[in-house]
Amino acid sequence: MANVFDKTTDALGASLNYRLLRHNVTSSNIANAETPGYKAKIVNFEEALSRAVELGDVSPTPIGNERVRVEDNPEADVNNDRNTVDLDKEMTTLAENSVLYKAALALINKKMAMLKYGITEGGR
Amino acid sequence: MDFLTGMRVSASGMTAQRMRMNAISSNIANVNTTQTPEGGAYRRKEVVFSAMPQQRHFGEILAGKVDNDIDRVQVVDIRPDRKGPLLKYDPSHPDANEEGYVAYPDINVMQEMVDMIQASRNYEANVSAMNTSKNMALSAIEIGR
C-alpha cells in the first residue's frame, strides 16, 4: 500500500477505535450498575487488536463487527438481583482505558510531527 | 460508534439515578402520611430500571448495523412496593379505624438513606464516565496540531 501513513499509524488508529468501543461498553456497564439482571460486558481489547493486525486489516472498525467480542464478564460476582457489574472494577477499567487512549494519541501525534518535519524540511 | 454514544449512555444513567433519588425523597417525606388521593396510607415508591439497547441513528439502521452491546438504562416504571401498610394502635388519630388502628406506610428511613447514598454514588460514577468521554474526545481533536 503506497501510503504516507504506514502500518503503525493504521494500527494506532485501530487501537483508538477499540479503546473507544471499550470506553462505551464500560460506560454502559456503569449506567446499568443497578439494573436487575444486567450482565457486565468486557471487550477483549488486546486480543481483538492483535487479531486485526495479524489479518492485516486495521481499518477503522465499526461496532458490531465480529472481530470485537463483547462478552459477559466471567469474574463478576452475581448478586441477589443477578446483576454482575462490579463498579470499582469498571471505574478502574475506565481510567486505565482513558490513559492508554491518550498514549495512543500521543504516538499518533509524534508520527504526524515526523511527517510534517519530512514535508517541510525534506525539500530544502 | 462515537463518543456521543458513551455520553448518551452516561446521561441515561444520570437521569435514572436522579429519578430514583426523587422517589427516595418522596418516600422519606411521606413516612407518616396516612391519606393519599388513591385512598389509604402512602405506599413506598420503587423505581424499576431496565437495560435498553442504545438507539441507533436512522442512517446506521439503514446500513443494517445492529448493535446490542451498548445498553442505556431506562426507568420503565415507578410503582408502589408490595408491602402492605403498618397498623399502629392510636385510637385518638382521625384516620383510626373502628378497632383504633391507624394504617401507616411501612417505610424504613434507614433503608431509604442507604438507597440514597447508593443512588448518589452511582450518579457520581456516571458523571466521571461522562467526563472521561469528554476528555478523550477533546484530546482526539488535537491530533496533528
Side-chain angles (χ1 to χ4, degrees):
Chain A
M1 183 166 61
N3 199 337
V4 284
F5 301 116
D6 58 5
K7 205 176 169 182
T8 319
T9 315
D10 288 343
L12 283 170
S15 153
L16 288 184
N17 276 315
Y18 285 121
R19 293 268 172 227
L20 177 57
L21 171 65
R22 192 192 224 179
H23 176 79
N24 284 347
V25 168
T26 312
S27 295
S28 160
N29 286 345
I30 291 170
N32 284 290
E34 297 277 316
T35 308
Y38 180 83
K39 300 278 180 285
K41 289 163 183 165
I42 50 170
V43 177
N44 213 339
F45 169 79
E46 282 79 10
E47 209 175 278
L49 184 62
S50 73
R51 224 177 312 148
V53 174
E54 259 172 42
L55 290 172
D57 178 17
V58 285
S59 55
T61 319
I63 182 166
N65 193 302
E66 297 77 29
R67 283 183 297 172
V68 178
R69 264 203 341 263
V70 181
E71 58 190 9
D72 290 342
N73 190 345
E75 290 162 28
D77 295 335
V78 179
N79 302 324
N80 274 343
D81 59 357
R82 302 186 316 286
N83 184 308
T84 61
V85 178
D86 178 349
L87 200 56
D88 305 322
K89 212 167 134 187
E90 298 301 336
M91 296 312 283
T92 319
T93 309
L94 197 76
E96 180 200 320
N97 194 52
S98 158
V99 167
L100 292 172
Y101 182 88
K102 288 193 176 168
L105 275 182
L107 285 173
I108 287 191
N109 277 328
K110 281 272 177 280
K111 279 274 185 198
M112 294 293 170
M114 279 163 70
L115 203 59
K116 230 181 220 171
Y117 183 76
I119 292 167
T120 51
E121 302 294 319
R124 289 195 183 175
Chain B
M1 163 66 70
D2 50 16
F3 278 108
L4 292 180
T5 311
M7 289 175 97
R8 275 195 219 108
V9 168
S10 296
S12 78
M14 283 154 73
T15 310
Q17 295 302 334
R18 197 162 37 77
M19 285 182 84
R20 185 183 180 201
M21 191 67 107
N22 290 345
I24 293 167
S25 303
S26 158
N27 289 342
I28 293 175
N30 285 292
V31 72
N32 284 321
T33 304
T34 53
Q35 292 180 7
T36 48
E38 305 90 55
Y42 176 84
R43 307 266 308 271
R44 183 174 170 272
K45 301 271 188 299
E46 188 131 34
V47 292
V48 184
F49 290 164
S50 172
M52 301 266 179
Q54 173 62 33
Q55 278 163 338
R56 315 290 293 165
H57 305 301
F58 177 71
E60 287 173 314
I61 296 168
L62 202 64
K65 281 183 196 163
V66 196
D67 165 22
N68 297 320
D69 300 332
I70 314 284
D71 295 317
R72 73 203 153 86
V73 61
Q74 198 173 33
V75 174
V76 284
D77 198 8
I78 301 179
R79 61 183 176 209
D81 76 355
R82 293 196 190 125
K83 274 191 282 184
L86 201 64
L87 291 174
K88 276 185 196 161
Y89 187 67
D90 186 3
S92 61
H93 195 283
D95 289 324
N97 63 11
E98 299 86 60
E99 287 103 48
Y101 285 96
V102 186
Y104 280 103
D106 190 2
I107 293 172
N108 180 352
V109 179
M110 280 301 130
Q111 181 64 50
E112 299 300 326
M113 288 295 188
V114 171
D115 278 359
M116 196 171 81
I117 293 169
Q118 211 172 17
S120 160
R121 288 283 172 271
N122 263 296
Y123 189 89
E124 282 168 24
N126 279 300
V127 171
S128 343
M130 159 110 42
N131 276 331
T132 312
S133 303
K134 200 180 72 185
N135 285 332
M136 281 164 76
L138 284 176
S139 26
I141 293 174
E142 301 288 316
I143 292 180
R145 285 244 172 116

